[in-house]
Amino acid sequence: MKLSAEIKAFQKRLGHEFANPELLVRSLTHGSVSSATRPDNQRLEFLGDRVLGLVMATALLEADKKASEGQLAPRFNALVRKEACADVALQIDLGAVLKLGRSEMLSGGRRKQALLGDAMEAVIAAVYRDAGFEVASAVILKLWGDRIHDVEADARDAKTALQEWAQARGQKPPSYVEVRRSGPDHAPVFTIAARLQDGAEEQATAGSKRQAEQAAAKSLLDRLQN
């Protein structure tokens, strides 16, 4: 299979040159452009999630040989959750080579966190199928880099951490209020305010309510702790 210059460049950013490039192309194919002769990346995504999980679990055990299961679990979740996968995908500009249908392209699919996270998992599976577990593990560890050693600071999601902060001080759980919604219906942008009972508030804007809520919670928590 002849690869485009863009996908060849992506292989370099990824750190793996495929012996079977069809695997890579399939991992980059979203359901919006799939057909009977062009399968999408969902099955690879399923496999990649498991490969990533095993690599991260092993890396965390090796990084902290005294950590309990209770300490390891939130660290693991922080490293394998969709946001982390999407962040790595952005790091290597995976969105630039995603194969999307017209509707997804028009709605900003190349920047959508869910699509990027899913595709990153599919690419991991493609590397695993192409070259085996050891190579896939090396690629993952290189791409995740310092995130593994710095994960303690990100082990709890911001909304949970903010709620715990508030409850420890006798306050009610924070509320999340949609301040503004802009953009077209197919690609909305939300501004969310995270508010505490004592009046403290921070706002954040993102392409989904969940992302905006998390960002607002993190911003508020950072201000309160600093």
Side-chain angles (χ1 to χ4, degrees):
M1 171 183 280
K2 186 176 181 180
L3 295 177
S4 67
E6 290 80 7
I7 293 184
K8 288 180 179 178
F10 174 72
Q11 286 188 120
K12 292 182 179 179
R13 298 195 297 273
L14 176 65
H16 177 69
E17 185 171 343
F18 281 76
N20 180 5
E22 289 184 4
L23 283 167
L24 175 58
V25 172
R26 179 173 177 180
S27 73
L28 299 171
T29 303
H30 184 256
S32 61
V33 76
S34 65
S35 66
T37 57
R38 179 192 254 183
D40 63 32
N41 61 8
Q42 289 186 343
R43 286 173 61 85
L44 285 173
E45 174 200 337
F46 171 82
L47 177 59
D49 178 56
R50 276 71 188 170
V51 175
L52 174 62
L54 179 56
V55 172
M56 286 299 135
T58 303
L60 287 171
L61 287 172
E62 293 178 351
D64 188 346
K65 294 182 172 22
K66 296 182 179 179
S68 67
E69 189 276 339
Q71 292 172 307
L72 291 170
R75 299 176 192 174
F76 174 84
N77 291 334
L79 289 169
V80 303
R81 64 192 179 198
K82 201 68 70 178
E83 292 89 342
C85 292
D87 188 46
V88 174
L90 286 170
Q91 171 186 314
I92 58 175
D93 198 14
L94 189 156
V97 291
L98 269 180
K99 296 184 177 299
L100 303 172
R102 178 175 171 78
S103 61
E104 278 294 350
M105 284 194 290
L106 291 175
S107 65
R110 297 189 189 282
R111 300 184 303 276
K112 288 182 180 177
Q113 187 177 77
L115 267 65
L116 290 173
D118 291 347
M120 189 68 243
E121 291 174 344
V123 168
I124 287 170
V127 175
Y128 168 70
R129 294 288 298 271
D130 188 64
F133 181 75
E134 293 302 321
V135 171
S137 179
V139 169
I140 291 167
L141 293 175
K142 181 180 178 181
L143 291 177
W144 261 251
D146 291 339
R147 292 174 179 84
I148 298 168
H149 301 287
D150 299 339
V151 69
E152 185 61 32
D154 193 36
R156 293 177 301 167
D157 69 86
K159 289 179 66 175
T160 299
L162 181 60
Q163 179 170 323
E164 291 176 356
W165 188 96
Q167 290 178 331
R169 289 157 180 79
Q171 294 192 44
K172 294 180 180 179
S175 61
Y176 296 89
V177 180
E178 183 179 319
V179 176
R180 184 169 56 257
R181 174 174 174 162
S182 59
D185 290 340
H186 64 267
V189 176
F190 300 93
T191 297
I192 301 291
R195 295 174 180 169
L196 290 178
Q197 184 180 3
D198 65 4
E201 174 183 319
E202 287 289 338
Q203 297 183 10
T205 301
S208 75
K209 286 186 178 181
R210 183 176 184 277
Q211 286 176 265
E213 288 174 356
Q214 288 285 354
K218 185 178 187 305
S219 181
L220 180 53
L221 189 63
D222 287 346
R223 176 159 69 86
L224 293 169
Q225 291 179 332
N226 294 329

